[in-house]
Amino acid sequence: MTVRKEIVDQLAGIPNVAVSEGALLSRHTRFGIGGPAGVFVQAASEQAFAEALRVSQGSGAAYSVIGEGTNLIVSDRGFDGIVLRLTSKAIEREGATVRAEAGAELQALVDYSIDQGLRGLETMTGIPGSVGAAVYGNAGAYGHSIDERVRQVRFLTGVAVQSFGPAECRFRYRESVFKERKDWIILSVELALTPASSADLRQTADEIFKIRLAKYPPTMKCAGSIFKNLILAELPDSVRRQIPERVIREGKAPSAYFLEQVGAKGMRSGGIQVADYHANLIYNTGDGTALELCELIGELKTRVWKQFGLELEEEVQYMGFSPTPQPA
């Protein structure tokens, strides 16, 4: 369904809103993949976003909300509807509490907390994406995740703004209630950090950043790890016995281990390739498509299922299509 002209005009008339028709979503995803949006809407304030969302919901057209697009696979055909993005980026502190708007870059928040001498986010340095997406997917690295520091999340239900504490957010490994309720849009988050030496925090972050840079160069068109790691305690005994102790981290079995066993490294589908040095890293070599990416993801899931009886789960989200469930 093409978005009606009166709806486009209505969206364009909202203060602090930028509207473009036919914007290529490949320019707004880290994979560099995706066809055009019917209408692409960027709102620079909560009020503007709330009004744009209200108009979109009443338009009869399909609509979707995105962040920085770092964990997003968009259909080659694009999204025939309205794509909304909140771009408000304010970050501020009160004592050891930091408040960040959802549109802020996660790296900007990490750098701000380090510069302010506040501990709790330094291990997340180098993770691309927005603050809202980090809360949505409970982002983390090196044994820590953002839920450990969340005090409150403000979100838009479509009719009102509400706030949840960490328990109500139902955080789990790479999960939150906001993944279950995609109609609840995160607006901002308050984080409880702890005072520390800024120099020490920066040293920790710099060491982590060097490691991430070697794995995920900023020019690489990828989403980082494509599959979630697996909770060791939830795996069948027969599978646990096959996993070497050396690869287990924080009670999790890396998906990369299982992928390596099924020959994932270096696999390719058209312009999409698995890194030859990391079995859980899939990237676009430059001219890859969403179809090729999904074909490769599906093949990897099928191989792991056939050899281990495990169903890997993607960290990435899909827009404009639902990939064929795997394994078949």
Side-chain angles (χ1 to χ4, degrees):
M1 173 188 291
T2 302
V3 182
R4 302 192 311 274
K5 182 180 184 303
E6 58 266 32
I7 297 299
V8 177
D9 292 343
Q10 196 173 350
L11 289 165
I14 301 171
N16 295 314
V17 164
V19 174
S20 56
E21 297 182 71
L24 284 177
L25 293 170
S26 58
R27 297 175 181 170
H28 300 280
T29 67
R30 190 157 187 214
F31 273 118
I33 286 172
V39 180
F40 188 64
V41 179
Q42 298 190 86
S45 71
E46 288 185 5
Q47 183 178 359
F49 181 85
E51 179 62 13
L53 180 63
R54 184 192 67 77
V55 171
S56 301
Q57 290 174 329
S59 70
Y63 72 91
S64 186
V65 178
I66 69 170
E68 294 286 332
T70 54
N71 252 21
L72 188 64
I73 301 175
V74 178
S75 166
D76 298 314
R77 295 186 299 274
F79 184 80
D80 187 17
I82 303 167
V83 177
L84 302 116
R85 182 179 171 194
L86 175 62
T87 61
S88 54
K89 302 177 182 297
I91 303 172
E92 56 190 13
R93 69 173 290 187
E94 183 175 338
T97 299
V98 172
R99 178 184 176 275
E101 294 185 313
E105 290 186 8
L106 179 59
Q107 187 62 52
L109 175 60
V110 171
D111 288 337
Y112 178 89
S113 67
I114 291 173
D115 291 343
Q116 294 290 315
L118 295 171
R119 181 189 305 279
L121 302 177
E122 62 280 355
T123 61
M124 297 182 201
T125 192
I127 298 178
S130 66
V131 169
V135 174
Y136 173 88
N138 194 18
Y142 295 92
H144 297 281
S145 51
I146 199 165
D147 70 293
E148 298 169 18
R149 297 293 179 167
V150 169
R151 171 179 284 180
Q152 183 182 77
V153 177
R154 291 177 62 256
F155 61 97
L156 184 63
T157 65
V159 295
V161 175
Q162 293 189 23
S163 297
F164 273 176
E168 296 166 299
C169 291
R170 299 211 298 271
F171 289 116
R172 304 178 303 286
Y173 172 63
R174 301 295 179 266
E175 297 287 343
S176 75
V177 69
F178 303 104
K179 270 194 174 181
E180 302 166 17
R181 292 296 305 267
K182 296 183 187 297
D183 55 325
W184 291 354
I185 312 302
I186 296 167
L187 298 175
S188 65
V189 61
E190 284 187 7
L191 302 158
L193 307 180
T194 52
S197 162
S198 181
D200 290 346
L201 296 174
R202 178 57 65 189
Q203 181 178 353
T204 298
D206 286 349
E207 290 171 356
I208 289 172
F209 187 72
K210 287 177 184 177
I211 296 171
R212 289 193 65 88
L213 197 61
K215 284 184 183 178
Y216 315 114
T219 55
M220 179 177 276
K221 296 181 178 181
C222 73
S225 295
I226 200 79
F227 295 109
K228 297 178 183 178
N229 292 328
L230 295 99
I231 308 299
L232 190 65
E234 297 176 357
L235 298 178
D237 288 341
S238 59
V239 174
R240 285 205 299 267
R241 287 195 292 268
Q242 299 179 57
I243 306 171
E245 283 288 334
R246 60 180 170 77
V247 305
I248 297 171
R249 297 287 186 277
E250 292 96 31
K252 299 181 188 71
S255 289
Y257 170 75
F258 300 102
L259 291 164
E260 190 168 345
Q261 305 313 302
V262 300
K265 286 183 175 179
M267 282 181 59
R268 187 171 185 133
S269 173
I272 304 297
Q273 182 165 347
V274 180
D276 57 10
Y277 60 87
H278 195 313
N280 196 18
L281 170 57
I282 301 178
Y283 65 98
N284 178 5
T285 63
D287 58 355
T289 66
L291 178 60
E292 293 166 346
L293 179 53
C294 290
E295 286 175 347
L296 189 51
I297 289 173
E299 173 63 20
L300 294 173
K301 293 177 74 170
T302 296
R303 288 190 182 191
V304 171
W305 172 262
K306 287 181 177 178
Q307 183 161 331
F308 294 98
L310 298 175
E311 185 168 1
L312 296 183
E313 184 179 354
E314 299 96 313
E315 289 196 28
V316 294
Q317 306 288 294
Y318 295 91
M319 174 185 281
F321 68 115
S322 296
T324 303
Q326 296 288 337

